[in-house]
Amino acid sequence: MGIAQRARGVLRRRELETPPPEPSGSRDVVYGPSLPDESTVHLVLDLALRIGEVQMASGAGASDVTATIIGVANAYGLPHCEVDVIYTSVTVSCYRGSDLPPITSLRVVRNRSLDYTRLSDVEDLVRRITAGEVSADEAYAELDRITTAPHPFPRWVATLAWAGMAASLAVLLGGGNEPLLPLIAAGATALVDRIGRWLNRRALPFFFQQAVGGAIATSVALAGFATGVLHNAALAVAASIIVLLSGMTVVGSMQDAITGYNVTAAGRILELALMSAGLIAGVVLALYIGLRIGGDTVAGLSVQDVGRAQVVSPVLYLPVQMLAGASTSACYALASYAPPRPLIVAGCGGAVAATVHALLITLLDVHTVLANLVATTVVGLVGGIITRRLRIPPLVVAVSGVAPLLPGLPTYRGLYELSVLGDPVGITTLMLAVAVGLALGAGVVLGEYLAQPVRTSLGRLERRIAGPRMSGPLRPTKRRLE
């Protein structure tokens, strides 16, 4: 029995020491995609992230940035990438199979500046990338050239454009019967822009820049009213307020909220609220100072009369409304460094928005919130169809087309009622301004969504791309379709 037990023990030890036979071909089995070399993967991810950074800085929605990054990575042989976009950063992770760890890259979006020429050039580069017309190295070099290039024209041109936008808004809001009103609104806006640029170079937070801008615009309007140059300072203040509000991401916030990117939407809305609070603080400060200096009256007229001036201006005849709307949007696009073709299309979008809004208000007596919603929906629908045929980013037309309808007058009236008169009705007026802002953003996004089936029937959009899109590639690459 002892010999038998020892023999079984020896056999058992041999079985344990001998490795099990490997299945045939098991060393050649790899779970996951076949990817380029690691250096190429890093290059492609950095390229995609930098493109996404330009889009985020230009106000594009998180869904657009996600689709663009996936499209670029897919075009260069990275078919399995996960993208996470929040308001301040973009992260992308490339899956490399079960035997290798994923490669993850992150890029922080620090600077937000409107340059539609840069955005248009990046859109054209993305279109060439997804069409397979440019290599990764060439695309990276081209992107570096685009992002480091100076603005297409001097900064003083943008200042004149902001001034032209304020003058156009003064006419659009009903100041056509007062010849000096557009000039004063333009001068105040140009002064605000130059001082704001000086403060920006000194890294003053944007909240305080907005406060300074609101205070300067209101002070100039009250001074004009006190000297008898202006009969309605409210319109001049409202025009300057709209200019200061125009750079905010109303459209992007609504797009992110509707498409399910709630964290990014919350970040945009918080920034929008903070910048609006700065603007409110500046306007209220100027009103208080005007009331203290002039007492109960300013140049013989009550400051209360300024705040209670009929801010619902008489509707101008339709051609003037159309031209003022077109000029407002075109000046906004010019101030944002838009190329010539997007500039013209943006002007057409503003003309459509102002005309539809005027028709609904005057002929059908539609409520202002619904009128704004319908007008911007038409802009989003028509712009979504035309821009892709002309290879123009729809975002340029969407944001510019909203500019003539921003709620500057309700904002000023509500602030005056609350801060100077102490009337709680001002809360209702400010809520109306908020409702109008939400309607503008929702209308543009809805119009872009409705444009998708139309573009599909025209052969401009693949059905598998879901959700409203205002930037980035609309057609999947061939690799994804395979």
Side-chain angles (χ1 to χ4, degrees):
M1 292 292 295
I3 297 175
Q5 288 180 353
R6 284 195 297 270
R8 285 195 296 268
V10 172
L11 292 175
R12 180 60 178 168
R13 285 194 299 270
R14 289 179 179 177
E15 290 176 358
L16 293 176
E17 293 172 357
T18 304
E22 295 183 359
S24 177
S26 62
R27 293 181 180 273
D28 299 329
V29 175
V30 177
Y31 298 95
S34 177
L35 300 180
D37 59 274
E38 188 166 338
S39 61
T40 303
V41 173
H42 284 289
L43 176 66
V44 171
L45 292 184
D46 190 51
L47 170 66
L49 283 173
R50 292 186 63 190
I51 290 175
E53 180 189 16
V54 172
Q55 291 182 320
M56 284 292 292
S58 301
S63 59
D64 295 341
V65 176
T66 300
T68 300
I69 293 176
I70 292 176
V72 171
N74 188 28
Y76 290 123
L78 308 182
H80 298 291
C81 289
E82 295 292 337
V83 181
D84 182 32
V85 178
I86 61 175
Y87 188 48
T88 55
S89 66
V90 184
T91 306
V92 58
S93 180
C94 176
Y95 173 69
R96 298 193 295 166
S98 58
D99 59 336
L100 292 173
I103 296 179
T104 302
S105 297
L106 179 144
R107 193 168 186 90
V108 177
V109 183
R110 292 186 174 87
N111 299 320
R112 303 183 187 278
S113 61
L114 291 177
D115 189 335
Y116 287 147
T117 295
R118 181 177 302 165
L119 178 63
S120 299
D121 291 341
V122 169
E123 294 277 316
D124 183 66
L125 176 61
V126 171
R127 192 178 300 112
R128 290 159 52 202
I129 289 174
T130 55
E133 299 175 358
V134 58
S135 66
D137 293 331
E138 294 171 344
Y140 197 91
E142 178 69 14
L143 179 64
D144 186 69
R145 183 195 64 80
I146 293 173
T147 54
T148 57
H151 292 308
F153 41 80
R155 186 64 179 82
W156 61 266
V157 176
T159 300
L160 292 180
W162 289 124
M165 179 180 174
S168 302
L169 285 167
V171 175
L172 186 67
L173 295 174
N177 297 327
E178 195 169 348
L180 293 180
L181 177 61
L183 296 178
I184 293 177
T189 301
L191 179 62
V192 169
D193 181 72
R194 300 311 301 178
I195 293 178
R197 182 168 175 78
W198 181 79
L199 295 175
N200 190 45
R201 286 199 299 265
R202 282 147 183 81
L204 182 70
F206 283 106
F207 174 86
F208 299 105
Q209 292 185 35
Q210 287 287 102
V212 171
I216 292 174
T218 306
S219 300
V220 171
L222 291 178
F225 178 77
T227 56
V229 177
L230 289 179
H231 299 291
N232 192 341
L235 294 182
V237 176
S240 299
I241 286 177
I242 293 177
V243 173
L244 292 172
L245 288 174
S246 61
M248 300 183 182
T249 55
V250 177
V251 176
S253 302
M254 291 303 300
Q255 183 184 5
D256 288 338
I258 290 172
T259 53
Y261 291 85
N262 297 319
V263 175
T264 308
R268 292 184 192 271
I269 293 173
L270 179 60
E271 183 186 56
L272 180 63
L274 187 62
M275 297 299 102
S276 299
L279 179 61
I280 290 171
V283 173
V284 171
L285 177 63
L287 288 175
Y288 271 123
I289 292 175
L291 185 64
R292 289 300 183 106
I293 293 177
D296 293 333
T297 61
V298 177
L301 292 177
S302 173
V303 177
Q304 177 176 342
D305 294 335
V306 180
R308 288 191 177 277
Q310 280 296 325
V311 293
V312 181
S313 58
V315 179
L316 302 174
Y317 56 97
L318 199 58
V320 175
Q321 286 285 90
M322 183 183 300
L323 291 176
S327 177
T328 299
S329 295
C331 286
Y332 175 81
L334 179 62
S336 303
Y337 304 102
R341 187 162 57 177
L343 182 69
I344 296 174
V345 177
C348 295
V352 171
T355 303
V356 173
H357 182 267
L359 289 174
L360 291 175
I361 293 293
T362 57
L363 297 183
L364 302 180
D365 195 24
V366 176
H367 190 273
T368 180
V369 176
L370 180 58
N372 283 280
L373 176 66
V374 174
T376 51
T377 301
V378 174
V379 172
L381 175 62
V382 177
I385 298 172
I386 296 176
T387 51
R388 289 299 175 179
R389 283 194 168 275
L390 298 178
R391 294 189 173 184
I392 298 173
L395 182 67
V396 178
V397 179
V399 177
S400 301
V402 166
L405 304 180
L406 287 171
L409 284 173
T411 301
Y412 174 74
R413 177 195 284 177
L415 293 178
Y416 189 86
E417 290 170 345
L418 281 175
S419 62
V420 178
L421 303 181
D423 190 347
V425 176
I427 298 178
T428 304
T429 308
L430 288 178
M431 288 301 100
L432 175 63
V434 172
V436 170
L438 294 177
L440 295 178
V444 171
V445 176
L446 177 61
E448 177 64 25
Y449 177 80
L450 295 176
Q452 292 187 20
V454 178
R455 288 204 305 264
T456 301
S457 64
L458 296 174
R460 301 296 295 172
L461 182 68
E462 298 290 343
R463 289 188 180 272
R464 67 170 57 194
I465 296 294
R469 300 288 309 283
M470 297 184 190
S471 183
L474 292 185
R475 180 178 300 176
T477 62
K478 293 182 179 180
R479 291 180 182 270
R480 288 185 64 85
L481 291 175
E482 293 173 355

